[in-house]
Amino acid sequence: MRFRDLKRQYQVLKAGIDKAILDVAASGAYIMGPQVKELERELADYVGTRHCISCASGTDALTLALKAWGIKQGDAVFVPDFTFFASAEAVSLEGATPIFVDVDRETFNIDPADLADKIEATLRKGDLTPKVIIAVDLFGLPANYPALRRIARKHNLHILEDGAQGFGGTLNGKRNCSFGDISTTSFFPGKPLGCYGDGGACFTDNDEWAALMDSYRMHGKGSSKYENVRIGMNSRMDTIQASILQVKLKAFAEELAAVNKAAAEYTARLTDIVETPVVPAGCLSSWAQYTVKLNSKPERDGLQAYLKGQEIPSMVYYPTPMHRQKAYANLGLSESECPVADRLCDTVLSLPVHPYISSEEIDEVCDAIETFLHREKGDRKEKE
Protein backbone atom coordinates (compact mmCIF):
# COMPACT_ATOMS: atom_id res chain seq x y z
CA MET A 1 0.00 0.00 0.00
CA ARG A 2 1.21 3.50 -0.84
CA PHE A 3 0.40 6.71 0.98
CA ARG A 4 -0.41 8.48 -2.30
CA ASP A 5 -0.16 6.01 -5.16
CA LEU A 6 1.42 7.94 -8.03
CA LYS A 7 2.54 4.71 -9.71
CA ARG A 8 -1.06 3.53 -9.97
CA GLN A 9 -2.13 6.92 -11.30
CA TYR A 10 0.60 6.76 -13.94
CA GLN A 11 -0.59 3.34 -15.14
CA VAL A 12 -4.11 4.74 -15.62
CA LEU A 13 -2.90 7.87 -17.46
CA LYS A 14 0.17 6.29 -19.07
CA ALA A 15 -0.77 6.63 -22.74
CA GLY A 16 -1.49 10.34 -22.52
CA ILE A 17 1.46 11.15 -20.28
CA ASP A 18 3.96 9.19 -22.38
CA LYS A 19 2.79 10.95 -25.55
CA ALA A 20 2.93 14.37 -23.88
CA ILE A 21 6.50 13.82 -22.68
CA LEU A 22 7.71 12.48 -26.03
CA ASP A 23 6.07 15.38 -27.91
CA VAL A 24 8.02 17.84 -25.76
CA ALA A 25 11.25 15.87 -26.21
CA ALA A 26 10.80 16.00 -29.97
CA SER A 27 9.93 19.71 -29.98
CA GLY A 28 13.14 20.99 -28.38
CA ALA A 29 11.14 23.63 -26.46
CA TYR A 30 11.98 22.41 -22.97
CA ILE A 31 11.41 25.57 -20.90
CA MET A 32 8.35 27.83 -21.28
CA GLY A 33 7.29 26.04 -24.47
CA PRO A 34 3.79 26.49 -25.94
CA GLN A 35 2.30 23.93 -23.56
CA VAL A 36 3.09 26.27 -20.66
CA LYS A 37 0.91 29.07 -22.01
CA GLU A 38 -1.80 26.57 -22.92
CA LEU A 39 -1.74 25.19 -19.38
CA GLU A 40 -1.92 28.68 -17.87
CA ARG A 41 -5.09 29.39 -19.88
CA GLU A 42 -6.60 26.05 -18.88
CA LEU A 43 -5.81 26.56 -15.18
CA ALA A 44 -7.18 30.12 -15.16
CA ASP A 45 -10.39 28.88 -16.78
CA TYR A 46 -10.69 26.04 -14.28
CA VAL A 47 -10.12 28.22 -11.22
CA GLY A 48 -12.08 31.17 -12.56
CA THR A 49 -9.49 33.97 -12.61
CA ARG A 50 -8.26 36.32 -15.32
CA HIS A 51 -4.63 35.32 -14.98
CA CYS A 52 -2.51 32.27 -14.18
CA ILE A 53 1.26 32.72 -13.98
CA SER A 54 3.11 29.42 -13.76
CA CYS A 55 6.46 29.09 -12.00
CA ALA A 56 8.98 26.56 -10.74
CA SER A 57 7.42 25.68 -7.34
CA GLY A 58 4.69 26.48 -4.87
CA THR A 59 7.22 28.28 -2.68
CA ASP A 60 8.26 30.46 -5.61
CA ALA A 61 4.59 31.23 -6.23
CA LEU A 62 4.30 32.68 -2.72
CA THR A 63 7.49 34.67 -3.27
CA LEU A 64 6.24 36.09 -6.57
CA ALA A 65 3.03 37.28 -4.91
CA LEU A 66 4.89 39.00 -2.07
CA LYS A 67 7.29 40.64 -4.53
CA ALA A 68 4.37 41.94 -6.61
CA TRP A 69 3.06 43.67 -3.47
CA GLY A 70 6.47 45.03 -2.49
CA ILE A 71 6.51 43.27 0.88
CA LYS A 72 9.69 44.18 2.75
CA GLN A 73 11.42 44.64 6.08
CA GLY A 74 9.12 46.24 8.65
CA ASP A 75 6.01 44.60 7.23
CA ALA A 76 3.94 42.05 9.18
CA VAL A 77 2.45 39.06 7.38
CA PHE A 78 -0.02 36.88 9.29
CA VAL A 79 0.56 33.15 8.79
CA PRO A 80 -1.25 30.12 10.27
CA ASP A 81 0.84 28.36 12.89
CA PHE A 82 -0.11 24.89 11.66
CA THR A 83 1.23 24.61 8.12
CA PHE A 84 4.28 23.70 6.06
CA PHE A 85 7.34 25.86 6.62
CA ALA A 86 7.23 27.44 3.14
CA SER A 87 4.16 29.52 4.04
CA ALA A 88 6.30 31.58 6.43
CA GLU A 89 9.68 31.05 4.80
CA ALA A 90 8.67 33.11 1.77
CA VAL A 91 7.76 35.97 4.09
CA SER A 92 11.13 35.91 5.83
CA LEU A 93 13.02 35.76 2.54
CA GLU A 94 11.45 39.12 1.62
CA GLY A 95 12.69 40.59 4.91
CA ALA A 96 9.21 40.82 6.43
CA THR A 97 8.13 39.32 9.75
CA PRO A 98 5.68 36.43 10.00
CA ILE A 99 3.12 36.72 12.80
CA PHE A 100 1.83 33.28 13.68
CA VAL A 101 -1.90 32.80 14.12
CA ASP A 102 -3.63 29.87 15.76
CA VAL A 103 -5.93 27.59 13.78
CA ASP A 104 -9.41 26.12 14.09
CA ARG A 105 -9.12 22.65 15.65
CA GLU A 106 -11.81 21.20 13.35
CA THR A 107 -10.82 22.58 9.94
CA PHE A 108 -7.08 23.04 10.69
CA ASN A 109 -7.26 26.42 8.92
CA ILE A 110 -6.41 29.90 10.22
CA ASP A 111 -8.69 31.03 13.05
CA PRO A 112 -10.34 34.39 12.20
CA ALA A 113 -10.81 35.29 15.89
CA ASP A 114 -7.15 34.79 16.74
CA LEU A 115 -6.17 36.58 13.52
CA ALA A 116 -8.18 39.64 14.57
CA ASP A 117 -6.48 39.58 17.99
CA LYS A 118 -3.00 39.22 16.47
CA ILE A 119 -3.57 42.14 14.08
CA GLU A 120 -4.75 44.38 16.92
CA ALA A 121 -1.77 43.36 19.06
CA THR A 122 0.62 44.14 16.20
CA LEU A 123 -0.95 47.56 15.70
CA ARG A 124 -0.69 48.33 19.41
CA LYS A 125 2.97 47.33 19.50
CA GLY A 126 3.65 49.61 16.54
CA ASP A 127 7.00 48.32 15.30
CA LEU A 128 5.57 46.48 12.26
CA THR A 129 3.04 47.46 9.59
CA PRO A 130 0.36 44.81 8.91
CA LYS A 131 0.22 44.09 5.19
CA VAL A 132 -0.89 40.57 4.28
CA ILE A 133 -2.93 37.63 5.55
CA ILE A 134 -1.74 34.26 4.26
CA ALA A 135 -4.60 31.76 4.37
CA VAL A 136 -3.62 28.14 3.77
CA ASP A 137 -6.20 25.71 2.36
CA LEU A 138 -4.79 22.96 4.54
CA PHE A 139 -5.26 19.31 3.54
CA GLY A 140 -7.53 20.42 0.66
CA LEU A 141 -10.17 22.37 2.62
CA PRO A 142 -10.78 26.07 1.85
CA ALA A 143 -10.20 28.53 4.68
CA ASN A 144 -13.03 30.67 6.06
CA TYR A 145 -12.73 33.35 3.38
CA PRO A 146 -15.90 35.32 4.17
CA ALA A 147 -14.62 35.98 7.71
CA LEU A 148 -11.07 36.61 6.50
CA ARG A 149 -12.26 39.10 3.88
CA ARG A 150 -14.14 41.11 6.51
CA ILE A 151 -10.97 41.36 8.60
CA ALA A 152 -8.84 42.22 5.56
CA ARG A 153 -11.18 45.04 4.55
CA LYS A 154 -11.23 46.45 8.07
CA HIS A 155 -7.44 46.73 8.16
CA ASN A 156 -6.77 47.27 4.44
CA LEU A 157 -4.78 44.04 4.08
CA HIS A 158 -4.18 41.79 1.10
CA ILE A 159 -5.19 38.13 1.27
CA LEU A 160 -2.68 35.67 -0.16
CA GLU A 161 -4.33 32.27 -0.58
CA ASP A 162 -1.80 29.46 -0.21
CA GLY A 163 -3.65 26.74 -2.10
CA ALA A 164 -0.67 24.39 -2.34
CA GLN A 165 -2.83 21.58 -0.94
CA GLY A 166 -6.17 22.99 -1.96
CA PHE A 167 -6.45 22.87 -5.76
CA GLY A 168 -9.87 21.51 -6.66
CA GLY A 169 -11.61 22.31 -3.38
CA THR A 170 -14.59 24.66 -3.34
CA LEU A 171 -16.46 27.02 -1.02
CA ASN A 172 -20.09 27.78 -1.94
CA GLY A 173 -19.40 26.65 -5.50
CA LYS A 174 -16.33 28.84 -5.97
CA ARG A 175 -13.03 27.07 -6.48
CA ASN A 176 -9.95 27.25 -4.31
CA CYS A 177 -7.16 29.42 -5.74
CA SER A 178 -9.69 32.15 -6.56
CA PHE A 179 -10.27 33.55 -3.06
CA GLY A 180 -7.10 35.57 -2.56
CA ASP A 181 -6.16 38.91 -4.03
CA ILE A 182 -3.42 36.65 -5.30
CA SER A 183 -3.71 32.88 -4.86
CA THR A 184 -1.02 30.26 -5.31
CA THR A 185 -0.72 26.52 -5.68
CA SER A 186 1.92 23.81 -5.89
CA PHE A 187 2.27 21.01 -8.41
CA PHE A 188 4.60 18.93 -6.24
CA PRO A 189 3.93 15.28 -7.21
CA GLY A 190 1.94 14.43 -4.08
CA LYS A 191 -0.44 17.39 -4.34
CA PRO A 192 -4.04 16.98 -5.62
CA LEU A 193 -2.86 18.09 -9.07
CA GLY A 194 0.80 17.17 -9.28
CA CYS A 195 3.47 17.01 -11.95
CA TYR A 196 6.62 14.84 -12.09
CA GLY A 197 8.92 17.33 -10.42
CA ASP A 198 8.43 20.78 -8.94
CA GLY A 199 6.02 23.37 -10.26
CA GLY A 200 3.66 26.07 -9.07
CA ALA A 201 1.31 28.83 -10.17
CA CYS A 202 -0.15 32.19 -9.13
CA PHE A 203 -3.72 33.28 -9.85
CA THR A 204 -5.15 36.79 -9.84
CA ASP A 205 -7.68 39.07 -11.50
CA ASN A 206 -5.34 42.06 -11.21
CA ASP A 207 -3.59 42.90 -14.48
CA GLU A 208 -0.78 44.90 -12.86
CA TRP A 209 0.14 42.19 -10.37
CA ALA A 210 0.02 39.54 -13.08
CA ALA A 211 2.46 41.55 -15.21
CA LEU A 212 4.78 42.05 -12.23
CA MET A 213 4.81 38.33 -11.39
CA ASP A 214 5.47 37.48 -15.03
CA SER A 215 8.46 39.85 -14.92
CA TYR A 216 9.80 38.64 -11.58
CA ARG A 217 9.71 34.97 -12.61
CA MET A 218 12.05 35.73 -15.54
CA HIS A 219 14.86 37.73 -13.91
CA GLY A 220 12.81 40.94 -13.78
CA LYS A 221 12.39 41.13 -17.54
CA GLY A 222 10.92 44.15 -19.30
CA SER A 223 9.81 44.04 -22.92
CA SER A 224 12.20 41.13 -23.60
CA LYS A 225 14.27 38.69 -21.57
CA TYR A 226 17.37 40.80 -22.25
CA GLU A 227 15.82 43.98 -20.87
CA ASN A 228 15.84 43.71 -17.09
CA VAL A 229 13.86 46.40 -15.30
CA ARG A 230 13.92 44.93 -11.76
CA ILE A 231 15.77 42.33 -9.75
CA GLY A 232 13.87 39.11 -10.26
CA MET A 233 14.36 35.37 -10.00
CA ASN A 234 14.60 32.32 -12.21
CA SER A 235 11.28 30.53 -11.78
CA ARG A 236 10.06 29.30 -15.13
CA MET A 237 8.03 26.13 -15.64
CA ASP A 238 9.56 23.24 -17.59
CA THR A 239 7.51 22.36 -20.65
CA ILE A 240 7.48 18.65 -19.79
CA GLN A 241 5.87 19.43 -16.43
CA ALA A 242 3.24 21.59 -18.12
CA SER A 243 2.46 18.84 -20.62
CA ILE A 244 2.03 16.28 -17.81
CA LEU A 245 -0.27 18.66 -15.95
CA GLN A 246 -2.40 19.11 -19.06
CA VAL A 247 -3.03 15.37 -19.16
CA LYS A 248 -3.73 15.19 -15.44
CA LEU A 249 -6.07 18.21 -15.55
CA LYS A 250 -8.27 16.37 -18.06
CA ALA A 251 -8.63 13.52 -15.56
CA PHE A 252 -8.90 15.75 -12.51
CA ALA A 253 -12.69 15.96 -12.17
CA GLU A 254 -12.96 12.16 -12.12
CA GLU A 255 -10.08 11.89 -9.64
CA LEU A 256 -11.61 14.54 -7.39
CA ALA A 257 -14.86 12.59 -7.25
CA ALA A 258 -12.96 9.38 -6.49
CA VAL A 259 -10.89 10.84 -3.65
CA ASN A 260 -14.03 12.33 -2.07
CA LYS A 261 -15.65 8.88 -2.26
CA ALA A 262 -12.59 7.40 -0.53
CA ALA A 263 -12.71 10.06 2.20
CA ALA A 264 -16.41 9.35 2.75
CA GLU A 265 -15.64 5.64 3.16
CA TYR A 266 -12.99 6.43 5.77
CA THR A 267 -15.37 8.70 7.67
CA ALA A 268 -18.18 6.13 7.64
CA ARG A 269 -15.84 3.50 9.10
CA LEU A 270 -13.94 5.68 11.59
CA THR A 271 -16.50 8.15 12.97
CA ASP A 272 -17.05 6.19 16.18
CA ILE A 273 -13.39 5.17 16.54
CA VAL A 274 -11.31 8.35 16.13
CA GLU A 275 -12.01 12.04 15.51
CA THR A 276 -12.45 12.30 11.75
CA PRO A 277 -12.00 15.40 9.56
CA VAL A 278 -14.73 18.03 9.45
CA VAL A 279 -15.95 19.47 6.14
CA PRO A 280 -18.15 22.52 6.85
CA ALA A 281 -21.40 23.06 4.97
CA GLY A 282 -20.81 24.56 1.54
CA CYS A 283 -17.27 23.19 1.31
CA LEU A 284 -15.70 20.51 -0.87
CA SER A 285 -12.22 19.27 0.03
CA SER A 286 -9.68 18.04 -2.52
CA TRP A 287 -8.25 15.80 0.23
CA ALA A 288 -4.55 16.40 -0.09
CA GLN A 289 -4.55 14.51 3.23
CA TYR A 290 -7.13 12.58 5.23
CA THR A 291 -6.17 13.52 8.79
CA VAL A 292 -7.62 12.08 11.97
CA LYS A 293 -7.04 13.18 15.57
CA LEU A 294 -6.09 10.90 18.44
CA ASN A 295 -6.43 11.56 22.17
CA SER A 296 -2.76 12.07 22.98
CA LYS A 297 0.74 12.05 21.53
CA PRO A 298 1.57 8.59 22.97
CA GLU A 299 -1.62 7.19 21.44
CA ARG A 300 -0.91 8.83 18.08
CA ASP A 301 2.72 7.69 18.01
CA GLY A 302 1.71 4.19 19.12
CA LEU A 303 -0.86 3.93 16.35
CA GLN A 304 1.61 5.13 13.74
CA ALA A 305 4.14 2.53 14.88
CA TYR A 306 1.49 -0.18 14.80
CA LEU A 307 0.41 0.78 11.27
CA LYS A 308 4.02 0.69 10.14
CA GLY A 309 4.28 -2.84 11.50
CA GLN A 310 1.26 -3.75 9.36
CA GLU A 311 2.99 -2.16 6.32
CA ILE A 312 0.43 0.65 6.25
CA PRO A 313 1.98 4.07 5.61
CA SER A 314 0.92 7.15 7.56
CA MET A 315 2.33 10.64 8.09
CA VAL A 316 2.32 13.34 10.74
CA TYR A 317 1.54 16.72 9.19
CA TYR A 318 2.95 18.58 11.15
CA PRO A 319 5.04 17.53 14.18
CA THR A 320 6.18 21.07 15.09
CA PRO A 321 4.12 24.29 14.99
CA MET A 322 5.65 27.26 13.21
CA HIS A 323 6.18 29.27 16.40
CA ARG A 324 8.43 26.53 17.79
CA GLN A 325 10.57 26.03 14.70
CA LYS A 326 14.27 26.69 15.43
CA ALA A 327 14.46 29.05 12.47
CA TYR A 328 12.12 31.43 14.31
CA ALA A 329 13.75 31.25 17.74
CA ASN A 330 14.94 34.84 17.21
CA LEU A 331 11.33 36.08 17.35
CA GLY A 332 11.21 35.22 21.05
CA LEU A 333 7.72 33.74 20.88
CA SER A 334 5.93 32.23 23.84
CA GLU A 335 5.64 28.43 24.06
CA SER A 336 1.89 28.95 24.43
CA GLU A 337 1.64 31.25 21.40
CA CYS A 338 -0.86 29.00 19.56
CA PRO A 339 -2.29 26.30 21.86
CA VAL A 340 -4.58 24.67 19.29
CA ALA A 341 -1.69 24.23 16.84
CA ASP A 342 0.43 22.79 19.66
CA ARG A 343 -2.26 20.23 20.43
CA LEU A 344 -2.77 19.28 16.80
CA CYS A 345 0.94 18.67 16.28
CA ASP A 346 0.76 16.07 19.06
CA THR A 347 -2.42 14.30 17.98
CA VAL A 348 -2.91 14.36 14.17
CA LEU A 349 -2.21 11.43 11.86
CA SER A 350 -2.75 11.38 8.09
CA LEU A 351 -3.86 8.13 6.46
CA PRO A 352 -3.33 6.84 2.90
CA VAL A 353 -5.75 8.51 0.51
CA HIS A 354 -5.77 9.10 -3.24
CA PRO A 355 -8.17 8.69 -6.18
CA TYR A 356 -7.06 5.12 -6.85
CA ILE A 357 -7.21 3.64 -3.35
CA SER A 358 -9.56 0.64 -3.16
CA SER A 359 -12.32 -0.03 -0.66
CA GLU A 360 -10.38 -3.11 0.42
CA GLU A 361 -7.34 -0.98 1.22
CA ILE A 362 -9.47 1.46 3.20
CA ASP A 363 -10.94 -1.46 5.14
CA GLU A 364 -7.42 -2.73 5.86
CA VAL A 365 -6.40 0.65 7.30
CA CYS A 366 -9.59 1.00 9.35
CA ASP A 367 -9.38 -2.56 10.67
CA ALA A 368 -5.81 -1.93 11.83
CA ILE A 369 -6.80 1.31 13.60
CA GLU A 370 -9.72 -0.37 15.31
CA THR A 371 -7.56 -3.31 16.40
CA PHE A 372 -4.89 -1.05 17.88
CA LEU A 373 -7.29 1.23 19.75
CA HIS A 374 -9.29 -1.71 21.09
CA ARG A 375 -6.06 -3.22 22.38
CA GLU A 376 -5.01 0.10 23.92
CA LYS A 377 -8.37 0.43 25.66
CA GLY A 378 -7.99 -3.04 27.08
CA ASP A 379 -4.46 -2.29 28.31
CA ARG A 380 -5.68 0.86 30.07
CA LYS A 381 -8.46 -1.05 31.83
CA GLU A 382 -5.96 -3.65 33.05
CA LYS A 383 -3.75 -0.93 34.54
CA GLU A 384 -6.72 0.61 36.31
Side-chain angles (χ1 to χ4, degrees):
M1 187 185 303
R2 294 180 179 274
F3 187 73
R4 200 160 187 98
D5 202 335
L6 299 178
K7 287 187 175 182
R8 196 178 300 180
Q9 182 193 47
Y10 170 66
Q11 290 304 318
V12 173
L13 304 178
K14 184 178 187 301
I17 288 175
D18 286 356
K19 182 180 185 303
I21 291 172
L22 290 172
D23 285 350
V24 174
S27 75
Y30 304 132
I31 297 176
M32 294 295 288
Q35 291 90 333
V36 175
K37 285 296 180 187
E38 291 169 7
L39 175 68
E40 289 176 341
R41 287 193 293 271
E42 291 165 5
L43 291 171
D45 287 345
Y46 179 86
V47 167
T49 57
R50 283 173 55 84
H51 302 284
C52 171
I53 300 91
S54 64
C55 58
S57 71
T59 306
D60 280 1
L62 293 170
T63 297
L64 289 168
L66 295 172
K67 285 184 178 296
W69 288 332
I71 300 305
K72 62 188 183 306
Q73 186 174 357
D75 292 338
V77 178
F78 299 87
V79 182
D81 197 50
F82 187 65
T83 185
F84 183 59
F85 190 70
S87 301
E89 182 181 37
V91 175
S92 299
L93 287 172
E94 295 307 300
T97 300
I99 306 295
F100 298 118
V101 180
D102 214 348
V103 295
D104 183 285
R105 72 172 304 276
E106 291 190 339
T107 68
F108 307 115
N109 285 327
I110 194 167
D111 177 9
D114 192 54
L115 171 64
D117 289 345
K118 293 285 171 63
I119 292 171
E120 294 292 348
T122 302
L123 289 168
R124 286 194 300 272
K125 192 174 180 183
D127 57 339
L128 297 171
T129 304
K131 287 292 184 70
V132 177
I133 300 164
I134 295 183
V136 179
D137 301 327
L138 204 69
F139 303 153
L141 191 67
N144 185 351
Y145 287 103
L148 297 179
R149 183 57 68 184
R150 288 192 292 271
I151 294 169
R153 285 181 181 138
K154 178 180 178 180
H155 296 285
N156 195 29
L157 305 179
H158 291 310
I159 293 179
L160 173 51
E161 178 186 4
D162 181 348
Q165 299 178 16
F167 190 88
T170 65
L171 173 60
N172 297 326
K174 187 176 179 182
R175 286 192 168 121
N176 288 359
C177 299
S178 69
F179 295 108
D181 298 300
I182 297 176
S183 301
T184 67
T185 198
S186 167
F187 301 123
F188 179 81
K191 295 298 192 288
L193 180 66
C195 57
Y196 285 176
D198 273 318
C202 302
F203 301 88
T204 188
D205 290 328
N206 186 290
D207 297 344
E208 179 185 355
W209 297 338
L212 282 169
M213 290 186 288
D214 180 44
S215 171
Y216 276 119
R217 70 173 168 172
M218 296 186 189
H219 303 284
K221 73 177 180 69
S223 59
S224 76
K225 67 179 181 179
Y226 297 116
E227 180 196 21
N228 305 95
V229 297
R230 56 184 57 87
I231 303 299
M233 53 199 287
N234 179 17
S235 188
R236 301 164 297 187
M237 177 171 277
D238 294 343
T239 312
I240 283 178
Q241 304 302 343
S243 71
I244 292 167
L245 288 168
Q246 284 185 292
V247 175
K248 288 194 174 188
L249 187 59
K250 289 183 175 67
F252 190 65
E254 186 175 341
E255 290 189 340
L256 188 61
V259 78
N260 269 275
K261 179 176 179 292
E265 288 184 35
Y266 266 129
T267 299
R269 278 292 312 271
L270 294 175
T271 294
D272 297 326
I273 301 170
V274 294
E275 190 172 346
T276 54
V278 172
V279 179
C283 291
L284 175 76
S285 177
S286 55
W287 296 107
Q289 315 295 343
Y290 186 92
T291 303
V292 299
K293 294 193 282 288
L294 284 301
N295 291 313
S296 66
K297 188 176 190 300
E299 186 178 74
R300 189 272 308 280
D301 293 348
L303 174 58
Q304 185 174 36
Y306 179 78
L307 292 176
K308 183 177 180 181
Q310 304 300 307
E311 298 185 345
I312 296 172
S314 63
M315 294 290 293
V316 175
Y317 299 106
Y318 299 94
T320 306
M322 298 296 289
H323 77 272
R324 289 199 282 112
Q325 292 285 0
K326 291 181 181 178
Y328 288 117
N330 65 304
L331 296 181
L333 299 173
S334 165
E335 282 290 314
S336 59
E337 188 79 17
C338 296
V340 175
D342 271 322
R343 174 70 176 167
L344 291 174
C345 288
D346 286 345
T347 56
V348 294
L349 188 66
S350 296
L351 307 177
V353 72
H354 53 82
Y356 301 96
I357 194 169
S358 67
S359 295
E360 291 75 18
E361 288 171 318
I362 292 172
D363 283 340
E364 182 183 349
V365 177
C366 295
D367 288 345
I369 293 172
E370 191 168 12
T371 297
F372 172 82
L373 293 177
H374 180 74
R375 187 183 72 185
E376 285 290 293
K377 186 177 180 181
D379 289 346
R380 284 195 299 270
K381 282 186 175 180
E382 283 185 14
K383 290 177 182 177
E384 292 171 358

